[in-house]
Amino acid sequence: MPWPLRGNPHVFAARDSAIRWMTEFGLLRDDRSIEDFADWRLAEVGGFFFPDADARQCALAAQMMGWSFLPFDDQLDGPLGRDPLRVARVCTALIGIVHGEARGDATDSPTVRAFADLWGRMVQGASVTLLRRLRHHWAAYFSSQVTEAIDRVDGFRYADLDDYFRLRVASTCAFGRNDLGELWGGTEVPAVLWHHPLLEQMRHLAADLVALRNDSMSTTHEDVSGLHNAIFIIERERACDRERAVAVASRLAQAKVDRLIALEHHSVPRLLRRLDGAGQQAVLGYADILHHWIRGDYEWERLSGRHKQHRVLPEWATTLLAGTHGRAAGAGGSM
């Protein structure tokens, strides 16, 4: 891929800030969890995604990335992720925080309480328009976790990659994090341009590329935990082995890179010719946000120790998301 990797100069201070914040909320409780935070390069990936963020924003990015994994995403690989009712209750609380309808202070979930503290600081300075977009995309992210919980219980498997990518764009919070790129060191894209079909196509290509990269790197864990993965879908669709499926995914990713490059070489200039200086800056800045997203994820997946082996939650972490008072509805529970 032709886009350069950029880092953020504030990343080392951001790492320290994130560790302090996560420890304060009980999201890191022992030396091993702190070592994992560093080994997984969660501050670094925030710096890759948001290279122009200032020191405060870079610290927020590190906190956001730290919150997203052990305290949230990894919780759903265990029994909680097979209980749609409990997942829906937790995600309803998180969506309430996003929309300003509720706070997480009353819950005994450390993850929810931490997000209540984080969200307002994350969106500080966002325009009304950008805040609406952030709320929509982060609510979709949390809603997608309920979809995945239902899929786990039902044993549902995607037969088509395009259908899968429609879920994956939400479950990675791709667009929500791209939105933050506009706020944290980037240029806000006016609604009249953000909804342009060209920019829509570009961000979907970027989201698919990150999904393919992540899925190809996480099979060691997901062979055990199950659920959806592009590599598994290709194996079923092509009736092929793992090596062949990874090769197919690699070719598909390269085709998406080539398509994005072609759009930027041919279609973007045509759009730019009809825009004023501010519009041109916004479109070009948005392309850079997508480049940082793709290139930063590619490098992070290479450096991070997160995918070395199947991950098992430590005992102390098993109630971070559901809390100690959450009552299991049973794997067959319905909403």
Side-chain angles (χ1 to χ4, degrees), residues 305-318:
R306 177 170 165 80
H307 301 311
K308 288 179 182 176
Q309 58 190 0
H310 173 62
R311 300 180 300 277
V312 178
L313 280 178
E315 181 62 32
W316 65 263
T318 55

Side-chain angles (χ1 to χ4, degrees), residues 1-5 205-206 209-210 212-213 250 253-254 256-258 260-261 290-300:
M1 57 185 67
W3 310 297
L5 176 70
L205 287 167
L209 282 164
V210 169
L212 283 165
R213 174 68 169 167
S250 180
Q254 188 59 57
K256 289 179 180 290
V257 169
D258 293 344
L260 182 54
I261 292 170
L290 300 180
H291 300 161
H292 301 325
W293 171 244
I294 299 165
R295 186 67 179 86
D297 180 77
Y298 188 93
E299 183 69 7
W300 174 66

Side-chain angles (χ1 to χ4, degrees), residues 56-57 60 64 97-98 100 115 117-128 130-135 138 176 179-180 183-184:
R56 181 188 71 86
Q57 294 163 341
L60 286 169
M64 175 187 70
I97 293 167
V98 164
F115 188 74
D117 174 80
L118 180 62
W119 175 255
R121 294 183 295 116
M122 278 173 50
V123 300
Q124 181 180 334
S127 69
V128 172
L130 182 55
L131 180 57
R132 285 196 189 106
R133 199 164 7 110
L134 280 157
R135 284 173 166 166
W138 279 78
D179 293 339
L180 288 170
L183 181 61
W184 292 348

Side-chain angles (χ1 to χ4, degrees), residues 3 7 10 56 91 94 102 106 124 127 156 196 198 217 225-226 229 235 270 299 316 328:
W3 310 297
H10 306 295
R56 181 188 71 86
C91 289
L94 293 167
Q124 181 180 334
S127 69
F156 176 78
H196 192 286
L198 174 58
M217 297 295 289
S225 65
N229 185 297
E235 287 176 340
R270 186 173 73 85
E299 183 69 7
W316 65 263

Side-chain angles (χ1 to χ4, degrees), residues 14-305:
R15 179 193 299 144
D16 293 340
S17 170
I19 290 172
R20 286 195 302 272
W21 177 78
M22 293 183 70
T23 301
E24 176 185 348
F25 278 93
L27 306 182
L28 300 176
R29 298 188 189 175
D30 57 19
D31 290 342
R32 174 62 186 272
S33 61
I34 293 172
E35 290 169 3
D36 282 346
F37 180 94
D39 184 51
W40 293 358
R41 308 295 182 95
L42 298 179
E44 286 86 341
V45 70
F48 294 153
F49 288 163
F50 311 106
D52 296 312
D54 62 25
R56 181 188 71 86
Q57 294 163 341
C58 189
L60 286 169
Q63 292 169 25
M64 175 187 70
M65 297 309 299
W67 181 91
S68 298
F69 289 100
L70 174 65
F72 185 67
D73 185 78
D74 289 354
Q75 302 287 312
L76 300 171
D77 286 336
L80 174 61
R82 290 164 177 79
D83 191 332
L85 279 174
R86 295 176 74 201
V87 175
R89 283 195 289 270
V90 171
C91 289
T92 295
L94 293 167
I95 291 171
I97 293 167
V98 164
H99 286 295
E101 297 167 356
R103 291 192 56 80
D105 301 351
T107 177
D108 72 331
S109 161
T111 299
V112 174
R113 287 199 304 271
F115 188 74
D117 174 80
L118 180 62
W119 175 255
R121 294 183 295 116
M122 278 173 50
V123 300
Q124 181 180 334
S127 69
V128 172
T129 301
L130 182 55
L131 180 57
R132 285 196 189 106
R133 199 164 7 110
L134 280 157
R135 284 173 166 166
H136 175 80
H137 289 142
W138 279 78
Y141 169 48
F142 294 132
S143 175
S144 72
Q145 310 307 314
V146 182
T147 301
E148 290 191 340
I150 294 170
D151 290 348
R152 287 187 186 95
V153 172
D154 289 349
F156 176 78
R157 294 181 173 185
Y158 281 92
D160 180 86
L161 278 176
D162 289 337
D163 287 343
Y164 167 65
F165 285 144
R166 278 188 279 274
L167 171 68
R168 202 72 169 99
V169 71
S171 68
T172 59
C173 200
F175 296 165
R177 292 192 168 107
N178 296 161
D179 293 339
L180 288 170
E182 297 177 50
L183 181 61
W184 292 348
T187 301
E188 183 175 340
V189 182
V192 71
L193 290 176
W194 189 88
H195 292 281
H196 192 286
L198 174 58
L199 271 63
E200 180 181 10
Q201 187 175 0
M202 290 168 63
R203 63 177 162 265
H204 274 281
L205 287 167
D208 292 351
L209 282 164
V210 169
L212 283 165
R213 174 68 169 167
N214 180 260
D215 284 4
S216 67
M217 297 295 289
S218 60
T219 54
T220 299
H221 175 70
E222 290 171 355
D223 274 333
V224 178
S225 65
L227 198 58
H228 306 309
N229 185 297
I231 303 301
F232 302 163
I233 295 170
I234 293 169
E235 287 176 340
R236 293 193 298 269
E237 185 179 49
R238 303 287 184 102
C240 64
D241 61 16
R242 178 63 48 82
E243 183 178 3
R244 169 74 172 161
V246 171
V248 170
S250 180
R251 288 196 298 272
L252 177 59
Q254 188 59 57
K256 289 179 180 290
V257 169
D258 293 344
R259 177 58 180 157
L260 182 54
I261 292 170
L263 290 174
E264 294 186 14
H265 284 177
H266 302 294
S267 300
V268 169
R270 186 173 73 85
L271 175 60
L272 295 178
R273 285 196 295 269
R274 302 303 179 185
L275 301 178
D276 61 15
Q280 292 174 353
Q281 181 181 358
V283 170
L284 293 173
Y286 193 69
D288 281 340
I289 287 169
L290 300 180
H291 300 161
H292 301 325
W293 171 244
I294 299 165
R295 186 67 179 86
D297 180 77
Y298 188 93
E299 183 69 7
W300 174 66
E301 303 276 6
R302 186 183 71 83
L303 295 174
S304 176

